[in-house]
Structure formats: C-alpha cells, structure tokens
Amino acid sequence: MTRHPGNLAGTERQDPRPLAALDPHGLLALSGTLFTCTQQSEIVRLAMRHVSALGPYHAQAGYLATDDGLSRVPGDDAGAPTVDESLEELGEADGSVSLPDWSWNWAFGLRGVGGLLGYIVVSSHSGPDEQGHVLLSTLVGLTSAAMSLTVTRAAHHDNAAELSRLRTERDTALRQLDTMRSKLNLQKTVHETLARVAARGGGEDAITQALYELTGLSALIEDRFGNLRSWAGPDRPDPYPVRSTTYQAEMLRQVGREASPVRVKDRLIALARPRGDLLGVLALEDPEATANEHTMFALDHAQWSLAQELMHMRDITEVELRLRRQLIDDLLEGTDEASAYARAEAVGHDLQRTHYVVVVHWPGNAPDDSFTRAVERATGTTAIRPLITRRGDRVVLLTEARPDDDAVHAALAQELGTPDGAIGVSTRCDSPDGVPRCYEEAQRALEVRQNSRQRSGTTFFDDLGLYRILGPGNDLRELEGFVREWLGRLIDYDTGHDTELVETLSRYFDCGGNYDDAAAALTVHRSTLRYRLQRIREISDRDLGDVDTRLNLQVATRIWRIILGGRQ
C-alpha cells in the first residue's frame, strides 16, 4: 500500500522554501524532454537531475526493475549510498528507506500498466509539505509515463518486425510450395511413364524410348565395354564409335565415384549397378548442356529401371557371389586347404597366390549390402576381384593386391561421401591356413587406428611396432596385471573422483611430453595440464623424469587404452 511521504517526517513542520520558488510549469517543460527519450535509464537519470529544482530535495539513486530484480541506474552522484536491501523489503511499494545524514528519505515507485518499472530515492533534511509532495508526485508520474511509453514503443516495433517477418516467411513458403508442386508433377510423370514400361514387360528399347520422350534428348544404353545396345532419338552415329579400353575404364571409374549421373563431355552418364556390379551404361546426349533437375531425375530413375531389367540376366553371377562369400567366411574361420583350393577354383579365384586380409569400418554406415557394394566398387579397380564378406558393421576382403597406402581409403571416402572411416591391413598370407591369423592382424591394425589420435585412414600390421607385441596371442590377465601395477592408483582415483588423470597421462605421452600439444589435445589450459601432472606424480608416487618409469607408464597407458579399452 502506498503511503504519503509527508507523514513520515514525524512533525508538522512546513517546507521553509517559498512557494514562489516552486515551478510546476517547469515540470510541463521537462515532460516534453522525458517523452522524447527512448531509453528507460536515460529517463530516470533526467528525472533525478531535476529533483533538486522542485525544492530542498536530493535524488540519491535510481533503479530499474529487471527479470533479476532491481538494477542500479548511475546518477550524477557516483558516491551515493546504496539502499538495495531497503527497497527489496518494500515489496514494490513506496516507502521510507534509511540513509545517514538525512532526516527524510523516501523511495518513489515508478509504475506502468505491467507493474513496477523502477524507483527514485529522494532525501531531504525535512519532509515535504503538501505542495512539495504534489510536485514530487507529479515528477514521478511523468517519469513513469515516459518509461511506459518506451515499453509501448518497443512492443509496437517488435510487433511490426514480427509481422514483416511472418509475411516474408509466408511469401517464401508459397514460392517453395509452387516450386515443390511443379517438381512433384514432373516426378509423377517420370514415375508413371517408367511404371508403364515395366508393366508392359520392359526391355532396353522401351526404357531408352521412354527416357527420350521424358527429356527430349537422345537416350542410349551401352554394355560395360562401350558397345551400343539400344538408341532412341535422332542423330544416331553410324558406324558407332569404338572407344579404347583405357578410355572406357577411366570413364567408368570417373562415373563410378558418384552416386548420381555424371557429365562426361557431351553426355550425362549413369551406371546400372544394382548389386555393386556394373550391368550397363545409360546415357543422354546433351551437347548444348540443356539438362536440368527434371532431366537428372528422369535419368536417375531410368537407370533404376534398367538395373531391374538387367538383374534377371545375372542369376548365375549372383550364385557365384554367394559362393565367394561362403568361401571367405570359411577361410576366416579356418577350413581344409584342399577343399579351399577346389572351391576357389570353382568361382574363378586363385588361392595359390599371396593374399592380404583387409578389414574396413566406416561409422554411420548401415551393416547391410549397400556398404559391402560400396567397398567392392572402391576396391574393384584391380584385374582380380577380391573375395569379400561382411562381419557385423565391418567388411572383410581377401585380396591379392596389397592396398597402396591410403588409395583404398581415399576411394572409399569418395564413394561414401565422408573420410571418417578406418582400414586395417594384415601381413602377407601365403596359404589358406594363414587366413585366420591375418584376419586377427587386420582387426588389430584397425583397432589401433581407431584408438589413435588420427582415427581415419589405413593402418598396416607391418607398421604397428610396439602394438604387434600387444597384439593377438598375449595373455590378457598378464596385461591387466601390468596395467594395475603401474596405473592402479590413478585408475582408482579417477573412478572415485570422476577425474581423467590416466587419460591426461596417455595424451601427454602421445604428444611426446610437449605441454602445448598435450594441452591442445585435452582442450585444457597449460596450467591445468601442469596441475594434473603434479597430481599424477603425487598419487602414483612415480618419477616422470625417470626414463624407465616413463617407458613403463607409457606402455601401460597404451595397453589401458588400446587393449583394455580404457577400463579396469
């Protein structure tokens, strides 16, 4: 409840200031200035500067109401005492506050439609008379009205901006809707046309004729060697040009890297390869480069229709593929050599040659045939096809050709659209009974790559160095005991205090003891890293400056992370 400030003086004494000195007309002039201000803080400061013009009064402080409470508005007197706690006790009402050296101190609330906007704290050596109270109240009222006006202005501005934004979004959405409607109509035409082709029995000639009618461009089908199988449209070459084997292979390799049709000179080319094996080449003659999104959509769907048409011709190849997978699965598990040689010969694969096991893992790819086909396409550039199978979310190959550094990885990155994958390669395998060992080596190489700082790329088991000692065949209990001996205290401390001292030590060693590199790898400040290393010395009671100690600790951290997966 608002209380009359004149009643708080405790006496009936009158304001000694002559009435003639009061200037209510000055308040009217001041109101014009107040109502032109756009910032609430400026309005409060202006009002505070004019308090003393109304009588023997002093504006001690001004406050603005915020979401977090009352915020002090700096006034002319930077050294004025604060009354924050006294204002909080008022509970948004007007009232008396306590200040030294002044007999009368009053907090005037500044209010608008939405509630409290702020306060002006006024002091005097005596309480105001009735006319002084009227003048002060008038100043407070004008200040409150000016502040409310800024709120209203801001709301109108926000509403206008929001309306403009909504109109823009509506117009954009309508344009997008028109574009989508047109696109869907074109796509519907493509679907219906190719569906009629399929319903009538299909055929390569029917597909090229439909594609020509949909796009207005001459359509053709070639086999994988560049021989013409079907043509629809004008300007058919006669005789049909024969391309060199080298050119054809390079062209197929170029197109095969992309999932969508590719322009090669005057042609848009798509490959029909429903199971990863190239069944045919579908192309549009486009010397004027008039193809648009509709053209690409039609070609892409005609490519799918062609692939379906050609699939029935590959039943024998499909049987061969299953037999090849069964063969490599048995080789990975261990099988009779004589049987392995005979089965390999039956599917056209020579196991008498030196082989390598390659394990491929690409996070984010579904563990299905599409990933296997992608690996086949990326590795199918050699003269001899590898044996290939899938194990969970990994693809395993048995190939005569040892991958050239990161060539296979680069090809797969191109094929899958991301470089975030890893490949492990075994040592050479000279006979079928060595395949299981080489499979473990390739998996070990893959795991080391995925747990290293550079997780993507190709790792060869030959290059593992120390990790070969820590590889397959070692007694896990012995390795766990070694880790407990050297890292046990740190592991227990991390478990009990939710810290990362073992990980810090591991990264420190990985960076060769370089503080800057280790801090960057851990995304911490150098001082934080120094503190952690000091705690490691104290908790483990190990001297990190001792060469043997550092070696054992480094090996222990590698085992902890690579072999034990960061547990114990």
Side-chain angles (χ1 to χ4, degrees):
M1 177 177 179
T2 304
R3 291 167 285 179
H4 196 294
N7 295 335
L8 298 177
T11 67
E12 295 298 327
R13 67 175 292 178
Q14 298 297 312
D15 189 336
R17 179 170 48 83
L19 293 177
L22 301 174
D23 184 10
H25 300 291
L27 287 175
L28 294 178
L30 172 63
S31 67
T33 305
L34 289 173
F35 281 92
T36 60
C37 294
T38 59
Q39 300 293 327
Q40 290 189 348
S41 58
E42 180 62 25
I43 293 172
V44 174
R45 283 194 291 268
L46 184 60
M48 291 172 61
R49 287 199 294 271
H50 285 77
V51 166
S52 61
L54 303 179
Y57 314 119
H58 179 72
Q60 295 284 3
Y63 289 84
L64 291 179
T66 67
D67 293 338
D68 297 326
L70 294 173
S71 174
R72 182 75 176 265
V73 176
D76 292 338
D77 186 0
T82 60
V83 291
D84 300 26
E85 295 183 0
S86 299
L87 293 179
E88 295 291 343
E89 293 174 358
L90 292 178
E92 299 192 3
D94 293 10
S96 175
V97 294
S98 177
L99 288 173
D101 302 329
W102 299 89
S103 60
W104 180 81
N105 306 283
W106 194 266
F108 288 92
L110 305 171
R111 295 178 176 81
V113 176
L116 185 69
L117 300 175
Y119 276 105
I120 293 179
V121 179
V122 179
S123 297
S124 179
H125 292 295
S126 63
D129 60 8
E130 183 175 352
Q131 188 170 1
H133 173 65
V134 170
L135 291 173
L136 289 171
S137 298
T138 301
L139 176 61
V140 170
L142 290 172
T143 304
S144 298
M147 294 175 70
S148 296
L149 181 60
T150 63
V151 176
T152 303
R153 286 173 179 163
H156 283 310
H157 180 272
D158 291 343
N159 289 337
E162 179 66 12
L163 181 59
S164 175
R165 184 186 66 80
L166 291 175
R167 286 173 177 167
T168 300
E169 289 184 356
R170 179 202 62 189
D171 294 342
T172 301
L174 289 175
R175 288 194 298 271
Q176 291 175 343
L177 182 60
D178 289 340
T179 301
M180 183 60 68
R181 186 183 295 113
S182 176
K183 181 178 179 180
L184 289 176
N185 286 335
L186 291 173
Q187 292 179 356
K188 180 181 178 183
T189 301
V190 171
H191 282 300
E192 290 177 347
T193 301
L194 293 176
R196 285 195 297 270
V197 169
R200 294 170 183 172
E204 296 176 28
D205 291 340
I207 292 174
T208 54
Q209 183 62 34
L211 187 57
Y212 167 58
E213 294 173 359
L214 287 168
T215 65
L217 301 174
S218 295
L220 62 116
I221 296 174
E222 295 177 344
D223 63 20
R224 63 185 303 167
F225 306 108
N227 301 308
L228 184 65
R229 297 169 63 98
S230 176
W231 181 287
D235 304 325
R236 173 175 174 170
D238 188 19
Y240 196 77
V242 177
R243 294 185 290 273
S244 70
T245 303
T246 302
Y247 177 88
Q248 182 72 6
E250 179 57 32
M251 186 271 291
L252 293 178
R253 187 178 301 110
Q254 177 185 346
V255 179
R257 295 191 187 106
E258 304 295 334
S260 56
V262 175
R263 175 173 290 277
V264 179
K265 295 184 178 180
D266 292 341
R267 286 183 173 183
L268 285 172
I269 301 176
L271 303 183
R273 46 184 185 184
R275 296 176 180 173
D277 291 327
L278 179 60
L279 301 183
V281 178
L282 182 63
L284 289 172
E285 291 284 319
D286 186 27
E288 304 298 327
T290 59
N292 55 23
E293 183 181 2
H294 170 63
T295 307
M296 299 295 281
F297 182 84
L299 178 56
D300 191 54
H301 279 67
Q303 165 198 346
W304 182 86
S305 295
L306 176 62
Q308 298 303 308
E309 174 66 22
L310 298 177
M311 279 181 64
H312 73 277
M313 302 171 59
R314 298 300 301 271
D315 289 341
I316 295 177
T317 303
E318 190 66 23
V319 171
E320 178 189 353
L321 178 63
R322 288 197 297 269
L323 291 174
R324 292 169 69 88
R325 272 193 189 174
Q326 292 172 2
L327 173 60
I328 184 175
D329 284 336
D330 290 344
L331 287 170
L332 294 175
E333 297 296 332
T335 187
D336 175 66
E337 278 199 13
S339 172
Y341 284 129
R343 293 167 60 189
E345 184 178 355
V347 296
H349 193 92
D350 186 5
L351 272 184
Q352 301 285 352
R353 298 176 180 270
T354 296
H355 285 73
Y356 296 87
V357 176
V358 179
V359 180
V360 181
H361 180 241
W362 232 263
N365 279 276
D368 55 22
D369 285 341
S370 63
F371 180 35
T372 305
R373 289 194 296 270
V375 176
E376 284 184 299
R377 289 192 293 271
T379 58
T381 58
T382 57
I384 304 300
R385 289 175 56 199
L387 296 175
I388 187 168
T389 188
R390 191 180 67 245
R391 291 291 179 96
D393 59 352
R394 301 178 178 187
V395 170
V396 184
L397 300 90
L398 185 65
T399 176
E400 293 182 20
R402 186 177 188 269
D404 296 332
D405 296 328
D406 284 331
V408 172
H409 184 274
L412 263 176
Q414 182 82 11
E415 180 78 29
L416 299 173
T418 172
D420 298 331
I423 301 173
V425 183
S426 73
T427 59
R428 58 182 290 171
C429 179
D430 296 319
S431 61
D433 60 3
V435 173
R437 170 187 56 80
C438 289
Y439 177 43
E440 291 184 350
E441 291 177 351
Q443 290 189 98
R444 172 64 57 190
L446 176 69
E447 291 169 1
V448 170
R449 166 62 70 172
Q450 291 180 321
N451 285 282
S452 65
R453 294 178 64 190
Q454 181 59 43
R455 298 184 179 182
S456 60
T458 302
T459 296
F460 297 85
F461 189 80
D462 285 333
D463 300 331
L464 289 186
L466 175 63
Y467 294 115
R468 296 185 64 175
I469 301 175
L470 306 178
N474 286 290
D475 190 328
L476 183 60
R477 288 176 299 179
E478 292 182 6
L479 296 177
E480 288 177 339
F482 179 82
V483 171
R484 289 301 305 177
E485 176 184 355
W486 286 94
L487 298 177
R489 294 182 183 180
L490 297 177
I491 292 172
D492 293 340
Y493 186 89
D494 283 346
T495 301
H497 297 80
D498 195 25
T499 55
E500 298 181 347
L501 296 183
V502 179
E503 179 64 17
T504 297
L505 187 61
S506 177
R507 292 299 181 188
Y508 174 71
F509 286 136
D510 285 349
C511 295
N514 184 288
Y515 273 82
D516 290 332
D517 292 347
L522 292 164
T523 63
V524 299
H525 195 271
R526 276 176 58 97
S527 60
T528 301
L529 176 60
R530 289 185 180 277
Y531 171 78
R532 289 186 183 179
L533 291 175
Q534 181 57 36
R535 290 294 295 148
I536 289 170
R537 293 184 182 95
E538 294 171 356
I539 295 170
S540 67
D541 195 27
R542 303 287 188 182
D543 180 11
L544 299 185
D546 179 75
V547 175
D548 290 336
T549 298
R550 287 171 65 92
L551 176 61
N552 283 299
L553 284 173
Q554 185 170 9
V555 171
T557 58
R558 292 296 177 90
I559 298 173
W560 171 80
R561 189 172 65 189
I562 305 301
I563 307 301
L564 304 181
R567 59 180 174 79
Q568 253 212 347

